[in-house]
Amino acid sequence: MPGLQLFGRRWAIASDDLVFPGAFELLIRFIWWVGMLVLYSIHKGHFDCAGGPLLQSYFIVLLVMLGAIICSMSAIVYVSMQGTISNPGPRKCMPKLVYIRMALYLPECAWAIMGAIWVSDNGVKCDKTLVHVILLTVIASWIIMLFTTIAVVFVFDPLGHKKALYYEREEDHNLESSQSEQLIYNFKKTATRVWETRIRLLCCCIGRDNDNRVAFSSIAELLTSYFAVDDLDVELDKAAHYMQFAAAAYGWPLYVYSNPLTGLCKLCGECCQNRRAQHDIVGGDHLNCHFGSILQTTGLQYRDFIHISFHNRIYEIPFFVALDHKTETILVAVRGTLSLEDVLTDLSADCENLHTDGVDGDCFSHKGICQAACYIYRRLINDGILNQAFTVAPEYKLVIVGHSLGAGTAAVLAVQLRSSFPTLKCYAFSPPGGLFSKALADYSKSFIISIIVGKDLVPRLSLPNMDDLKNRILRMVVNCNRPKYQILLHGCWYELFGGSPDDFPTELDSRNMASLTQPLLAEQTIMVQKSSSYSTLTDGCPLDSPRYPHLFLPGKVIHITEDSRSGWLCLSDVKYRAQWSTEASFSSIYISPRMLTDHMPDIVLGALRSLCQERGGCGPCQTPQHDLPTNRF
């Protein structure tokens, strides 16, 4: 139940908290409206007294205004009843309804003032019953507005203005922190001060000696930590910023793919310049197309790059090191899969020991990715690349990013460098699922953030999951009661014109799901003979096999899913939502039309930018709109 967003800030009330207060006000307003309507009908022809025409106008406008308030409150109550606690999507129009209801307070206040003036006028000679009713109406209006004001004070969140940086006195400013960390530090400090003020107001009769002040401060810190604002928004803003570096590592192929009309033209000027003599560039980029696309995507200057490597062999993948002055970090961006050598690195899925000090339990990782990380580690440490970077910017902190294969390599590299750089952070976008043993996965949660979009296949890929998928597909094929062409046509229809795959007939119509537990080859002769092929398809769960040790995603996981989709193809408008997730949510492979497209780096970047725009963005980490478009699919 996220806080309601009104007037550019978050409030301490959710959109589903308005059902009961709204229904209570609706009941009062309806009784009020009916009473006024009955009174007006009785005295309709008796407004010829002194002040009567003004009274009649007051009645008519009041009835219309009460009717408008009743309609707005009915809509608020109805919308507030929609959705669930964790799914506010059906209530997304609530802020507009609240704006409408608040706008009606202006004419209500004006009419209450007019009614007070009319009642206090000694020249009014109308029926005393009408005068008393108008007096009660004025009093009721002021009471309702008073309670509304009190309610606004109660639900006002002093920390709800997300764009405030909360910088305190100059001596409290930590100059060694990046802007993002300074925001979190000052935010928590402001939250503690707010809680302390609230406690003092509640306990004003106790006194303010030193012991009480210490107790108030201690309780305020406890309440701040307990009701701490979720850091999901901050991490999403950082991820949106760092994802452009992970995408830039792909070089000109992704840049041209994402900018089919203007990409080549923008790169022409860069390709004609020889930058090799000015920068530490390794590998085949003779025309400077890769470097030019990196400059266009990241928005950095030539002087911001410490080292760029386009060298690519099996277990040796491209990467670059740059200074990001916006976040005061030294960035190591690792490229994802783009060549046959990268594919072979991906397919080297055996386990390899990854000894890590301070980690209890088995420490092993994906062999190919581990080898790639060791290659970059040797380049960064043995060749002095990181030493050179920290010589230029000694106060900066180290951040490692990557997408797909680059995400897995960045995660392993972060584990290897963690002991030397304790403040290191890693952002792994769409990382492979079979990466870390359980002990390493738990260890990495303090410094690695994994970001996954939708039903992406790659974060769910592991040898146990693949074996499980094979068995499930074979069983479904045998139990399927629909022709293959229908299944394919349904999938193509969804991809082209949108919709929900759940609306399509499933492959198991009119079948009991228990049939999936029956043998795949159910012929009597095979069941009797117990052939080897039958045994391989029906034996126990593949997770129990020692041949397939279970590997997990790195770090903490942010899962971004579609909230709504309209349009189709490149004209589609997609709304996203994000939440913290666990590795258990990716323990099986989903067959979906979007299992591949959700893995594309431009889709991941588009989803992150869309979320940042919807949430308002955090000042120091707000992502500039560079040349990678969003929502291509």
Side-chain angles (χ1 to χ4, degrees):
M1 51 178 186
L4 196 61
Q5 298 283 337
L6 293 171
F7 303 107
R9 66 182 306 120
R10 185 191 67 253
W11 295 74
I13 188 172
S15 57
D16 55 351
D17 291 332
L18 302 177
V19 176
F20 294 109
F24 180 72
E25 182 181 355
L26 181 61
L27 177 62
I28 293 177
R29 297 284 185 176
F30 181 75
I31 295 174
W32 186 357
W33 182 79
V34 171
M36 297 301 294
L37 182 63
V38 171
L39 188 64
Y40 178 78
S41 301
I42 294 174
H43 295 83
K44 187 174 183 181
H46 302 84
F47 290 105
D48 52 355
C49 57
L54 181 61
L55 175 62
Q56 184 177 17
S57 301
Y58 181 86
F59 265 104
I60 295 174
V61 174
L62 181 61
L63 287 171
V64 173
M65 186 169 57
L66 286 175
I69 292 174
I70 290 172
C71 292
S72 64
M73 290 306 304
S74 300
I76 288 175
V77 172
Y78 174 77
V79 173
S80 184
M81 295 169 62
Q82 306 306 306
T84 62
I85 295 177
S86 60
N87 179 25
R91 302 188 297 271
K92 60 184 178 181
C93 63
M94 181 61 75
K96 297 179 181 178
L97 295 176
V98 175
Y99 287 142
I100 294 173
R101 176 63 189 93
M102 296 185 70
L104 291 174
Y105 277 112
L106 297 178
E108 183 178 11
C109 181
W111 226 238
I113 295 174
M114 181 176 291
I117 295 174
W118 184 87
V119 170
S120 60
D121 188 359
N122 295 326
V124 176
K125 303 298 181 181
C126 293
D127 189 349
K128 291 185 178 181
T129 303
L130 291 177
V131 176
H132 291 160
V133 168
I134 297 299
L135 179 61
L136 291 176
T137 299
V138 171
I139 294 174
S141 297
W142 286 113
I143 290 176
I144 290 177
M145 287 187 286
L146 174 63
F147 277 101
T148 301
T149 303
I150 295 174
V152 170
V153 172
F154 269 100
V155 301
F156 177 78
D157 186 359
L159 307 176
H161 202 330
K162 293 168 53 179
K163 292 186 179 181
L165 293 181
Y166 299 102
Y167 283 123
E168 302 295 331
R169 298 184 303 272
E170 188 65 26
E171 60 268 21
D172 295 330
H173 185 66
N174 184 359
L175 296 178
E176 295 182 358
S177 299
S178 66
Q179 288 183 334
S180 303
E181 292 170 341
Q182 187 67 43
L183 170 65
I184 299 174
Y185 169 79
N186 290 324
F187 189 89
K188 291 181 178 179
K189 186 171 182 179
T190 305
T192 302
R193 189 175 65 251
V194 169
W195 275 112
E196 187 173 351
T197 302
R198 291 171 176 172
I199 295 172
R200 286 178 177 176
L201 291 175
L202 290 174
C203 305
C204 57
C205 59
I206 294 180
R208 297 187 178 182
D209 55 34
N210 291 334
D211 293 337
N212 289 342
R213 281 196 293 267
V214 171
F216 292 159
S217 300
S218 177
I219 296 173
E221 291 178 1
L222 178 63
L223 292 174
T224 299
S225 61
Y226 184 77
F227 293 102
V229 177
D230 192 0
D231 60 350
L232 179 60
D233 288 359
V234 176
E235 293 296 350
L236 285 173
D237 288 326
K238 290 182 180 179
H241 177 75
Y242 292 134
M243 178 57 203
Q244 62 186 348
F245 294 91
Y250 282 95
W252 69 264
L254 178 63
Y255 183 80
V256 174
Y257 166 76
S258 303
N259 301 271
L261 299 180
T262 61
L264 289 175
C265 296
K266 290 182 178 180
L267 291 180
C268 286
E270 299 293 342
C271 294
C272 297
Q273 302 181 40
N274 182 17
R275 302 289 178 183
R276 187 172 300 274
Q278 304 177 28
H279 297 84
D280 186 9
I281 300 178
V282 178
D285 187 31
H286 303 292
L287 296 178
N288 289 298
C289 292
H290 284 306
F291 190 25
S293 65
I294 292 174
L295 290 171
Q296 292 287 340
T297 304
T298 61
L300 298 182
Q301 303 296 320
Y302 299 107
R303 62 180 179 273
D304 297 329
F305 290 88
I306 304 298
H307 179 85
I308 306 173
S309 173
F310 301 109
H311 172 76
N312 193 197
R313 295 180 60 185
I314 300 177
Y315 305 148
E316 299 176 0
I317 57 180
F319 69 97
F320 68 81
V321 181
L323 302 178
D324 181 22
H325 303 293
K326 181 181 291 293
T327 57
E328 299 180 358
T329 55
I330 295 173
L331 269 168
V332 178
V334 187
R335 197 189 76 180
T337 302
L338 194 62
S339 65
L340 180 60
E341 290 84 357
D342 298 334
V343 173
L344 295 176
T345 301
D346 287 321
L347 294 178
S348 299
D350 291 337
C351 292
E352 180 166 305
N353 289 328
L354 183 60
H355 176 71
T356 305
D357 294 333
V359 180
D360 297 329
D362 295 331
C363 296
F364 48 85
S365 179
H366 183 288
K367 177 181 178 179
I369 295 176
C370 190
Q371 292 288 334
C374 289
Y375 160 74
I376 298 179
Y377 179 87
R378 292 192 299 269
R379 297 292 312 279
L380 294 177
I381 301 300
N382 297 345
D383 294 353
I385 297 174
L386 282 185
N387 183 55
Q388 178 185 355
F390 279 102
T391 300
V392 177
E395 73 282 5
Y396 283 15
K397 296 184 178 180
L398 182 61
V399 173
I400 308 175
V401 301
H403 173 266
S404 189
L405 169 62
T409 306
V412 176
L413 182 61
V415 170
Q416 295 174 325
L417 292 172
R418 173 70 170 175
S419 59
S420 302
F421 302 92
T423 60
L424 171 149
K425 291 281 288 185
C426 173
Y427 289 84
F429 302 94
S430 307
L435 185 63
F436 282 159
S437 61
K438 181 62 175 175
L440 276 179
D442 292 339
Y443 168 73
S444 66
K445 289 182 179 179
S446 61
F447 58 95
I448 297 180
I449 301 292
S450 291
I451 295 92
I452 300 170
V453 175
K455 299 180 178 179
D456 188 352
L457 170 67
V458 173
R460 296 174 169 86
L461 278 180
S462 65
L463 290 177
N465 288 354
M466 290 293 293
D467 206 16
D468 176 66
L469 176 65
K470 178 188 69 175
N471 289 343
R472 288 190 288 124
I473 289 178
L474 289 175
R475 295 183 186 279
M476 283 190 173
V477 167
V478 171
N479 288 276
C480 181
N481 64 351
R482 291 192 174 273
K484 183 189 297 184
Y485 78 91
Q486 288 188 10
I487 299 173
L488 295 176
L489 286 178
H490 284 316
C492 292
W493 179 274
Y494 169 76
E495 181 65 20
L496 292 175
F497 302 106
S500 173
D502 296 334
D503 297 335
F504 301 142
T506 65
E507 296 87 342
L508 298 175
D509 287 347
S510 304
R511 296 293 187 96
N512 193 322
M513 289 301 294
S515 63
L516 291 182
T517 63
Q518 301 301 318
L520 175 64
L521 302 176
E523 290 83 350
Q524 182 68 26
T525 55
I526 297 182
M527 290 184 66
V528 172
Q529 296 175 3
K530 288 286 184 179
S531 69
S532 59
S533 61
Y534 169 78
S535 299
T536 58
L537 294 171
T538 58
D539 285 345
C541 175
L543 297 180
D544 297 332
S545 172
R547 181 183 175 186
Y548 298 137
H550 205 165
L551 300 180
F552 299 86
L553 287 164
K556 296 195 297 183
V557 180
I558 296 177
H559 191 199
I560 300 174
T561 56
E562 286 188 11
D563 194 18
S564 64
R565 173 183 287 266
S566 59
W568 53 286
L569 293 181
C570 59
L571 300 178
S572 62
D573 181 22
V574 184
K575 301 295 183 183
Y576 296 94
R577 60 177 174 174
Q579 61 184 4
W580 292 107
S581 186
T582 62
E583 60 268 13
S585 302
F586 305 91
S587 59
S588 60
I589 296 174
Y590 292 157
I591 302 300
S592 166
R594 303 201 58 80
M595 61 191 298
L596 297 179
T597 56
D598 282 344
H599 184 70
M600 295 297 292
D602 58 334
I603 296 297
V604 177
L605 180 59
L608 288 168
R609 284 179 172 173
S610 176
L611 283 170
C612 288
Q613 291 171 358
E614 292 176 7
R615 294 167 180 261
C618 171
C621 303
Q622 194 165 1
T623 306
Q625 297 294 327
H626 290 304
D627 295 306
L628 284 181
T630 62
N631 297 337
R632 284 181 56 91
F633 296 92

